[in-house]
Amino acid sequence: MAASGAGFSDEELAAMKQRAEELKAMKGLKGAAKLEKENDACLEAIDKLEGADRAIAERVHVIVLEEAPHLTPKTFYGFPAYAKDGKVVVFYQPASKFKTRYGTVSFDETAQLDDGPMWPVSYAVLEVTPEVEQTIRALVRRAAPGA
């Protein structure tokens, strides 16, 4: 809810500002330098998290790098994200970002999760149990088949 009762919330405005800063920071960078800066930004975003958000983001990071090593870490509105050819495939939105009761592992439109006329693209995650990890691994493999 926005402070004034209409428009974007303070958290949403901060996320939009963060995205603009991400784009500005990458301006003019290409190749390995851009990839390195994006990776560092992703790791920094994870390091800033606390508690369950940090534990989940760290585990998602490992899962994505193991299951889809062709995806490149970056940030997306300040969230740890993973992209193919510069387009986000999967990202973790921490609960703390918008003061929600759970974080989500979400898949952007480039993810290949299509399953008929309707399919889920966002999953609430309270903790990464062995079962949750297996589900995330399967989703990442399906969303981003090999290079």
Side-chain angles (χ1 to χ4, degrees):
M1 192 65 65
S4 65
F8 296 108
S9 70
D10 292 341
E11 292 84 6
E12 290 167 328
L13 290 170
M16 287 185 281
K17 182 179 177 186
Q18 195 161 11
R19 181 66 181 142
E21 290 170 3
E22 291 167 1
L23 294 171
K24 185 178 178 184
M26 296 304 146
K27 190 174 183 177
L29 292 177
K30 293 187 186 326
K34 182 177 181 182
L35 292 176
E36 183 178 346
K37 188 157 188 155
E38 288 177 332
N39 183 62
D40 290 347
C42 181
L43 294 173
E44 185 178 314
I46 293 168
D47 284 345
K48 288 181 180 177
L49 298 173
E50 296 178 358
D53 278 338
R54 185 170 182 164
I56 294 166
E58 287 173 342
R59 198 67 210 135
V60 168
H61 185 77
V62 169
I63 291 167
V64 173
L65 294 181
E66 288 177 356
E67 298 297 336
H70 58 286
L71 296 183
T72 56
K74 62 184 293 174
T75 54
F76 180 63
Y77 293 93
F79 310 138
Y82 307 87
K84 181 177 180 182
D85 301 326
K87 296 183 181 193
V88 172
V89 175
V90 59
F91 62 95
Y92 176 66
Q93 180 177 314
S96 59
K97 188 74 172 186
F98 297 110
K99 299 178 179 116
T100 58
R101 67 182 182 93
Y102 52 80
T104 58
V105 173
S106 298
F107 296 85
D108 212 21
E109 125 176 70
T110 57
Q112 297 180 24
L113 295 177
D114 305 40
D115 186 18
M118 184 175 148
W119 58 90
V121 294
S122 189
Y123 299 82
V125 181
L126 296 175
E127 68 176 307
V128 181
T129 65
E131 296 80 16
V132 168
E133 179 165 333
Q134 287 310 108
T135 300
I136 295 171
R137 285 181 180 280
L139 286 165
V140 168
R141 283 191 305 269
R142 194 167 139 217

